[in-house]
Amino acid sequence: MRRAQLRILLSAALAAIGALLLSSCGTTTTTASRRLPAYEAPMAKSDFQTVRTTAYTHTEADHVQYSNRNALGGRLRAATAGLRRAAYAARALPADSDSASDYRRASLSGASLDSYLTPQKKKVTRWVRTKRGRKKVTTTVLVRPTIGSAAADWSRWPAGTTFRLLSTGQIYKVDDYGWALSGRNTIDLYMGSRGDMNTWGVRSEPIQILRWGAPEASLQVLQGRQGYKHIRRMVLQLEGQHATAAALE
């Protein structure tokens, strides 16, 4: 009798664990019934844009299953403080052009990405112990900015697109995407903590595109993931099927 009861209890426990794993991973049925966000017409491609920005972190409920990994398999990184300010004029490109050459032409104008990543001198003050007590010592070190992770619709900002927030000078690179970003002119900035995420909130930010990612490379990554509607919408846009993408719910 005891063995039978143990088998029943063990089966019940395994069933409960299985149900928990399925619910935490998010099944196809759940995502299939979820509606996509309202579609927005793409913004004009230009060296400078004013974009709606939000913030996220890896401890949010919808990102916990991915830990601190981005859509390309790398680690999510928070941007460090910027070092330089913008110093050249914007040049708009046609909004209705789907040619990858538009991205390349935009990326070749203005300052290069490397010029913003050159290590800069920074003074660091610290206390050291001496025979007479403590002494304040100031030294000069070279600091290279850390490029932060950003999530976006890859048909609007292809993976690898690198940009700078003009308000802070911080540099971000698109390496992630999200359900709420598909078909939207929104960029989600990765923050290292919930506190930083909440502090950022929602802001309309002027950004400077330092380097555009390749639409072809983004399409290649996304084509094998079209079981999810938000990815299917990005693929349709990258293929030039904007009306179909807009109608997808």
Side-chain angles (χ1 to χ4, degrees):
M1 180 64 70
R2 288 183 178 179
R3 289 184 179 179
Q5 290 176 336
L6 286 174
R7 282 198 297 269
I8 293 173
L9 290 173
L10 181 59
S11 298
L14 290 174
I17 293 172
L20 178 61
L21 289 174
L22 285 174
S23 63
S24 65
C25 292
T27 62
T28 304
T29 303
T30 302
T31 56
S33 61
R34 186 179 177 186
R35 291 178 64 88
L36 287 171
Y39 183 87
E40 293 180 325
M43 298 176 61
K45 304 181 187 77
S46 66
D47 297 333
F48 286 75
Q49 298 174 319
T50 298
V51 180
R52 179 175 57 247
T53 64
T54 52
Y56 75 108
T57 189
H58 63 278
T59 58
E60 288 185 274
D62 60 350
H63 209 285
V64 169
Q65 61 179 310
Y66 307 111
S67 184
N68 63 339
R69 295 291 172 179
N70 59 43
L72 295 174
R75 285 183 57 193
L76 292 167
R77 297 185 182 278
T80 53
L83 300 175
R84 294 182 56 185
R85 296 175 60 86
Y88 67 92
R91 179 176 59 83
L93 294 174
D96 58 351
S97 175
D98 294 319
S99 173
S101 63
D102 283 344
Y103 290 98
R104 286 192 288 270
R105 286 194 290 118
S107 68
L108 293 175
S109 63
S112 68
L113 171 61
D114 292 339
S115 68
Y116 290 102
L117 296 179
T118 302
Q120 303 289 315
K121 291 182 179 180
K122 180 180 179 181
K123 290 185 177 181
V124 177
T125 301
R126 59 192 178 90
W127 289 92
V128 297
R129 291 185 177 277
T130 66
K131 293 181 178 180
R132 297 182 179 181
R134 300 180 66 197
K135 178 182 178 181
K136 184 186 292 185
V137 176
T138 300
T139 56
T140 301
V141 297
L142 291 177
V143 179
R144 184 183 179 91
T146 297
I147 299 178
S149 296
D153 183 322
W154 287 7
S155 67
R156 289 134 196 262
W157 295 280
T161 297
T162 307
F163 62 92
R164 196 160 58 94
L165 298 178
L166 299 190
S167 63
T168 66
Q170 292 171 301
I171 301 175
Y172 285 87
K173 183 177 183 178
V174 176
D175 56 17
D176 210 0
Y177 51 69
W179 185 278
L181 303 172
S182 183
R184 305 287 290 178
N185 296 321
T186 301
I187 295 179
D188 212 7
L189 307 174
Y190 175 74
M191 301 290 172
S193 69
R194 282 183 174 270
D196 290 341
M197 177 188 73
N198 293 332
T199 297
W200 186 266
V202 180
R203 305 184 190 183
S204 180
E205 284 287 317
I207 67 171
Q208 175 189 5
I209 302 294
L210 300 176
R211 179 180 295 164
W212 285 98
E216 301 90 344
S218 295
L219 180 59
Q220 186 175 4
V221 172
L222 297 175
Q223 280 179 329
R225 307 179 183 181
Q226 295 185 66
Y228 298 92
K229 288 191 296 184
H230 65 301
I231 297 179
R232 175 60 179 161
R233 176 182 268 182
M234 288 191 286
V235 169
L236 288 170
Q237 292 178 96
L238 285 166
E239 292 176 340
Q241 302 182 56
H242 297 286
T244 306
L248 189 64
E249 297 182 347

